[in-house]
Amino acid sequence: MDNLESELILIVDDNPTNLKLLFGFLKEAGFKILVARNGKNALEKMPHIKPDLILLDIRMPEMDGFELCRHLKANPTTKEIPIIFLTALSDVKDKVEGLTLGAVDYITKPLQQEELLSRVRLHLRLRYLTRSLQEKNQHLTEEIAARKAVESELQELNRELEQRIAKRTEELYLTLQNLQTREQQLTYEASHDLLTGLYNRSWLMNRLSEILKIEQPQAHKKYPVLFLDIDRFKSINDSFGHLIGDELIKNVSNRIKICVDSRGEIARLGGDEFLIILTEAENIQTVEATASHILEELQQPFPIGNYQVVISASIGIVFSILDYNNCTAILRDADIAMYQAKESGKGCYRVLTPQMQSQALERIQLETDLRQGIEQEQFCLYYQPIFSIYDKKIVGFEALSRWLHPQYGFIQPTKFIPIAEKIGLIGILDISALKSACQQVKIWQEEFEMPLTVNVNFSAIQFQQAGVVEKIIRTCHQSGLSPSSIKLEITESAFLETAHAGTKILEQIRSQEIKLCIDDFGTGYSSLSRLHTFPIDTLKIDRSFVSSLGYNSDTTAIVQTIISLAHNLGIDVVAEGIETTEQLEKLKDLGCEFGQGYLFSKPLPSEKVTQLLSNYSNRQGD
Ligand code: C2E
Ligand code: MG
Ligand code: MG
C-alpha cells in the first residue's frame, strides 16, 4: 500500500467551489479522481466505476448524500466502499446520521487540505487493510473449507475403507468357516461310511495298527474282533432292490450299535460286511455272548417300507489281535472264521482256530494254483456213460472235469469247482469243457455211427455274466455237433437261486435246440411243486435217493413221485449213482428210463471210452 495515490476517489458534490477545491487537493496528492454532481449522477456511474473511496456532500439536489449512502450500503457490490461525509462544522446531527448510515468518517467544511488528505489516506489505508484482511480471511476460510472438504473426503474414504475391510473380513471369516466345515467334512468322510455313519475301512486299518503299536498292552485287554457278514445279502438286494438293501444295511448297523454300545468300535468294511473291535471284553465268554446277542437281534424282522425283511448273519471272531503284527492278517483271519460260520450253515458265529487258518491258507494256495492250472491247461475231461435202463444200451456221456495238479495229482471237481466259482474263473472252465466234450462226442458219433448225446455240467453263477448265452451257442455250433445232442446240466439248487433272471437265459438256450437237464434233483426239496415251471428236458435224480432205494420205503415213494411227475410233464428221467443191480431193478420197476453209475461204468478218460465204444459196437454188431 505504498502507492495510495493511485487509488480512485469519487467526489460527489454539487458545489463547484468545493469540487474545485477538493479536486485540487487530491490531484496534487496524486490521486485519481472522478466527480459526480449529485447523488443520482453518482448512482448512475456506479455500475461502471470502482471507486476506492467516496467523498460525499450531504446537501445536494435530486438525491442528497444520505439517500445515496443508503443506496450504496444496500448494494453488496458497493457497500464496502468507505464513504466520508463532507459536513458543516456545526451539523452534529448530520454527522451522527451519516455515521449511522454507514459512513466511515466526516470532514468538516471549510476544508483543510492537511486534514482532508490525512483522513483520506487513513481511510484508504484502513480500507486496504480491511480488504487484505478480508482477503486473508477469505483465503483462510477457503483453506479451512478446503481442509474440511479434504478431511470429510478422507473420513468418507476411511469409512469406505473400514466398510470394505469389515466386509472383506466377514467374507474371509465366512470362507474360513466354509473351509473349516469342508475340512471337517473331508476328515469325517475320510474316516466314515456315509451310508451308516459308522467308521470306514480306512479308519479301521489305522485303528488296528494303532492298537498293535501299543508298546505294553494291558495284559487283560485282547481287543477281540468280530467280522460280521449278512447271509444271502445279494439275493435280498436282487429281490427287494438296492434302496431296500441300503435301508437294511442302515437298520442292521443301528442294531449292531445298540448291542455293542460303548463296549466297542464298529466299522463298515463295505457291502454287507462289518467289523467290531470289542475294546472292553476281557474273556472269550463275553465275546461269544456279544456275538450271540448281535445274531439274535439281527434275526428279528426289519420293518422296511412295506416289507418285513428277515435276515441272519454270520460272525467270525479273532479273540486276541495282539498276537498279530499286521492289520491285513487280522482281517484275513476274521474273514476265515466268518467263512467257517457260513460253511457251518450260516446264522452263527465261529472263533478262529489254528486248523481253520491252515485250511484257509490251503484254499488260498489252491486258488493260486487254479489260476495257473487254467493258464497251463491242466484240465481234462472224464466221461461217464449214460445207459438206457431197459436195454442197457449207451445213449450218451456225462463229461466230468478233472484237474491234474502238478503236485497233488488228480483233484476232484467237488474241490476245485467251488473255488473256480468263487474266483470267477468257472466260465472259462465250463466253456472249455463244453468245447472239448462236443468235439470229442462228435468224433465218437462219426467213428461208431451212434446217436450219442453229451451232458456237460454248467455252473449257473455265470448266468449273470454278459454274453454267456452267445458263448454257449457259439461253442456248440463251432464243434459241429448237432445241438440236440448237447445237454447242459445245471444243479437243482442253482435253478432255484437263479429262478427269475436265469429262466430267460435257459429259454434262449433251449430255443437253439440245446437241451437242459436239472442235476442232483431232490436235494432242493422245495422244487417238486415248481418242476413244471422249469424249462427242462431231463431230470437227474440225485445219488442220495438212488443209494437208499429198496430199503427205505419213503425214498422209494419220493422217487416214484418224481418219476411220475416228470413223465407227466414230458421230462426224461436219469438216475445217477447206480451202484447195485438191486437199485437198477428198482429203478426199472419205477419206470426210470436212463441211468449212470459205477454199476455200469465209472467216469473214464477219453481213450478208455473209445475202447469201450469199439468193444461195444463190435458186440452190438455180433
Ligand atoms: P454231478 O454232475 O452230479 O456228477 C456226478 C458225480 O457223481 C461225479 O462226481 C461222478 O464221478 C460221481 N458218480 C457217478 N457215478 C457214481 C456212483 O455210482 N457212485 C458214486 N459214489 N459217485 C458216482 P465228480 O466227477 O467228482 O463230480 C462232482 C461234481 O462236480 C459233479 O456232480 C458236477 O456237479 C461238478 N462238475 C464236474 N465237472 C464239472 C464241470 O466241468 N463244470 C461244472 N460246473 N461242474 C462240474
Ligand atoms: Mg452232472
Ligand atoms: Mg449229479
Side-chain angles (χ1 to χ4, degrees):
M1 181 66 213
D2 295 320
N3 196 10
L4 261 183
E5 282 69 18
S6 66
E7 304 289 288
L8 179 67
I9 296 172
L10 171 68
I11 309 167
V12 188
D13 205 334
D14 60 330
N15 184 328
T17 323
N18 273 350
L19 264 180
K20 199 175 169 195
L21 193 65
L22 279 167
F23 194 88
F25 289 163
L26 294 168
K27 189 80 189 163
E28 201 184 307
F31 290 106
K32 283 190 222 155
I33 303 146
L34 274 173
V35 173
R37 298 238 168 247
N38 57 38
K40 195 172 169 239
N41 182 227
L43 206 57
E44 282 163 2
K45 282 190 178 15
M46 284 317 287
H48 315 290
I49 57 170
K50 271 194 179 157
D52 295 296
L53 189 128
I54 300 172
L55 291 175
L56 183 56
D57 185 27
I58 294 173
R59 314 259 173 255
M60 288 181 291
E62 283 194 67
M63 185 188 284
D64 67 1
F66 292 143
E67 183 65 22
L68 176 64
C69 183
R70 248 181 239 116
H71 276 290
L72 294 177
K73 290 298 163 193
N75 186 337
T77 59
T78 53
K79 73 173 203 227
E80 298 297 334
I81 307 170
I83 298 172
I84 300 175
F85 277 108
L86 303 170
T87 169
L89 185 63
S90 55
D91 261 339
V92 178
K93 210 175 140 225
D94 281 356
K95 289 175 195 165
V96 173
E97 167 101 45
L99 291 173
T100 316
L101 286 174
V104 290
D105 209 350
Y106 56 88
I107 301 173
T108 44
K109 297 182 209 172
L111 301 164
Q112 295 293 314
Q113 185 177 16
E114 281 293 295
E115 190 201 346
L116 175 84
L117 289 179
S118 62
R119 282 193 193 264
V120 165
R121 282 199 187 106
L122 178 77
H123 283 290
L124 281 173
R125 181 146 188 86
L126 243 169
R127 171 162 161 74
Y128 170 78
L129 287 173
T130 311
R131 251 200 211 160
S132 66
L133 244 171
Q134 272 173 346
E135 267 168 30
K136 271 190 193 151
N137 201 15
Q138 170 78 13
H139 203 69
L140 215 69
T141 318
E142 274 170 17
E143 216 170 87
I144 288 170
R147 246 165 208 266
K148 275 195 178 151
V150 172
E151 258 174 33
S152 70
E153 209 173 302
L154 206 70
Q155 270 175 356
E156 181 62 21
L157 277 178
N158 275 345
R159 217 180 45 236
E160 259 177 43
L161 201 72
E162 273 167 22
Q163 273 175 356
R164 248 187 284 156
I165 289 174
K167 198 169 160 226
R168 191 83 194 103
T169 312
E170 199 182 303
E171 278 171 9
L172 279 174
Y173 179 71
L174 280 178
T175 315
L176 193 76
Q177 256 189 343
N178 280 349
L179 276 175
Q180 278 171 346
T181 319
R182 187 78 196 109
E183 197 185 324
Q184 276 168 1
Q185 202 179 337
L186 282 177
T187 320
Y188 179 85
E189 281 173 19
S191 58
H192 286 78
D193 166 52
L194 298 184
L195 179 68
T196 59
L198 295 175
Y199 292 119
N200 62 13
R201 178 183 284 268
S202 146
W203 176 89
L204 177 81
M205 294 316 253
N206 286 338
R207 178 74 180 113
L208 289 176
S209 31
E210 206 177 83
I211 296 173
L212 298 188
K213 265 189 231 142
I214 303 173
E215 281 177 21
Q216 278 176 319
Q218 293 148 284
H220 63 282
K221 280 203 172 186
K222 305 277 188 206
Y223 295 96
V225 296
L226 273 57
F227 192 119
L228 184 146
D229 185 285
I230 302 173
D231 298 330
R232 297 185 193 87
F233 181 68
K234 203 186 151 305
S235 54
I236 295 172
N237 236 355
D238 289 347
S239 34
F240 290 99
H242 285 275
L243 289 180
I244 299 277
D246 279 359
E247 223 24 60
L248 179 66
I249 293 283
K250 277 198 253 177
N251 281 270
V252 165
S253 92
N254 286 338
R255 284 203 193 161
I256 300 175
K257 266 190 239 170
I258 295 169
C259 294
V260 174
D261 197 20
S262 60
R263 292 170 298 129
E265 293 155 331
I266 314 160
R268 180 178 170 223
L269 299 182
D272 58 334
E273 292 178 346
F274 298 85
L275 198 118
I276 303 147
I277 307 174
L278 294 179
T279 44
E280 301 299 323
E282 294 178 8
N283 54 50
I284 188 69
Q285 287 79 14
T286 331
V287 181
E288 291 190 41
T290 308
S292 295
H293 180 45
I294 296 174
L295 292 179
E296 272 167 31
E297 284 302 313
L298 294 187
Q299 271 160 18
Q300 305 306 316
F302 288 90
I304 298 173
N306 298 325
Y307 306 102
Q308 289 288 328
V309 185
V310 180
I311 60 154
S312 67
S314 303
I315 296 179
I317 300 172
V318 170
F319 179 54
S320 172
I321 67 162
L322 298 176
D323 306 335
Y324 290 81
N325 53 21
N326 81 73
C327 319
T328 323
I330 299 173
L331 285 194
R332 183 200 62 205
D333 283 2
D335 187 33
I336 289 172
M338 192 275 292
Y339 184 79
Q340 208 56 50
K342 295 250 184 211
E343 290 282 285
S344 319
K346 307 188 170 76
C348 60
Y349 68 83
R350 286 290 176 270
V351 183
L352 183 84
T353 62
Q355 195 200 0
M356 275 181 206
Q357 256 171 324
S358 59
Q359 274 173 0
L361 289 177
E362 193 189 313
R363 208 169 48 231
I364 292 165
Q365 183 59 49
L366 217 55
E367 278 177 22
T368 318
D369 291 356
L370 189 74
R371 284 178 204 279
Q372 213 175 34
I374 289 175
E375 251 173 50
Q376 298 176 359
E377 298 182 352
Q378 293 167 358
F379 295 84
C380 67
L381 287 177
Y382 270 42
Y383 297 88
Q384 186 176 38
I386 299 172
F387 288 85
S388 152
I389 286 182
Y390 299 107
D391 53 15
K392 304 214 175 77
K393 275 188 182 169
I394 296 179
V395 291
F397 298 92
E398 175 174 8
L400 293 156
S401 290
R402 297 289 179 266
W403 177 13
L404 189 56
H405 190 282
Q407 198 181 340
Y408 307 123
F410 273 115
I411 297 183
Q412 295 303 310
T414 39
K415 197 155 185 185
F416 68 81
I417 295 289
I419 301 174
E421 285 180 340
K422 186 175 160 227
I423 62 176
L425 293 178
I426 189 66
I428 302 176
L429 264 185
D430 279 357
I431 290 289
S432 126
L434 180 64
K435 187 176 163 196
S436 310
C438 290
Q439 285 171 348
Q440 181 60 71
V441 171
K442 167 106 179 127
I443 294 170
W444 287 330
Q445 274 186 351
E446 285 169 1
E447 194 176 340
F448 301 105
E449 294 176 353
M450 290 170 72
L452 297 168
T453 57
V454 64
N455 288 23
V456 182
N457 293 285
F458 213 79
S459 171
I461 278 191
Q462 53 202 310
F463 284 164
Q464 277 132 24
Q465 289 166 12
V468 66
V469 182
E470 291 73 16
K471 251 189 232 167
I472 294 174
I473 295 169
R474 205 181 323 124
T475 310
C476 292
H477 284 184
Q478 280 170 355
S479 71
L481 188 67
S482 153
S484 59
S485 305
I486 306 166
K487 222 175 249 182
L488 294 187
E489 289 194 7
I490 293 153
T491 59
E492 184 189 19
S493 50
F495 251 99
L496 292 172
E497 271 169 34
T498 61
H500 294 295
T503 313
K504 213 173 142 224
I505 293 174
L506 298 177
E507 274 159 3
Q508 268 176 287
I509 295 172
R510 272 183 101 211
S511 72
Q512 299 290 315
E513 315 233 311
I514 299 167
K515 297 206 160 60
L516 288 179
C517 167
I518 187 164
D519 204 353
D520 303 342
F521 192 83
T523 49
Y525 302 107
S526 62
S527 55
L528 202 59
S529 58
R530 289 171 54 186
L531 191 60
H532 66 283
T533 63
F534 300 150
I536 51 162
D537 306 276
T538 305
L539 174 158
K540 221 180 223 190
I541 301 175
D542 190 64
R543 181 157 53 90
S544 54
F545 289 97
V546 176
S547 59
S548 53
L549 264 185
Y551 47 86
N552 185 327
S553 54
D554 283 351
T555 313
T556 313
I558 294 171
V559 173
Q560 173 72 80
T561 314
I562 295 173
I563 294 172
S564 329
L565 189 64
H567 286 168
N568 283 337
L569 295 167
I571 297 168
D572 294 342
V573 181
V574 184
E576 67 179 353
I578 307 172
E579 293 181 346
T580 64
T581 39
E582 290 78 37
Q583 291 164 359
L584 181 70
E585 288 311 313
K586 195 83 207 161
L587 285 162
K588 201 173 179 180
D589 290 348
L590 295 172
C592 177
E593 57 267 60
F594 302 108
Q596 66 185 99
Y598 295 170
L599 179 68
F600 301 112
S601 166
K602 285 195 164 179
L604 303 167
S606 56
E607 320 81 70
K608 286 266 171 68
V609 175
T610 310
Q611 219 178 332
L612 176 88
L613 285 175
S614 90
N615 294 343
Y616 181 81
S617 63
N618 287 341
R619 239 190 6 250
Q620 299 286 310
D622 290 345

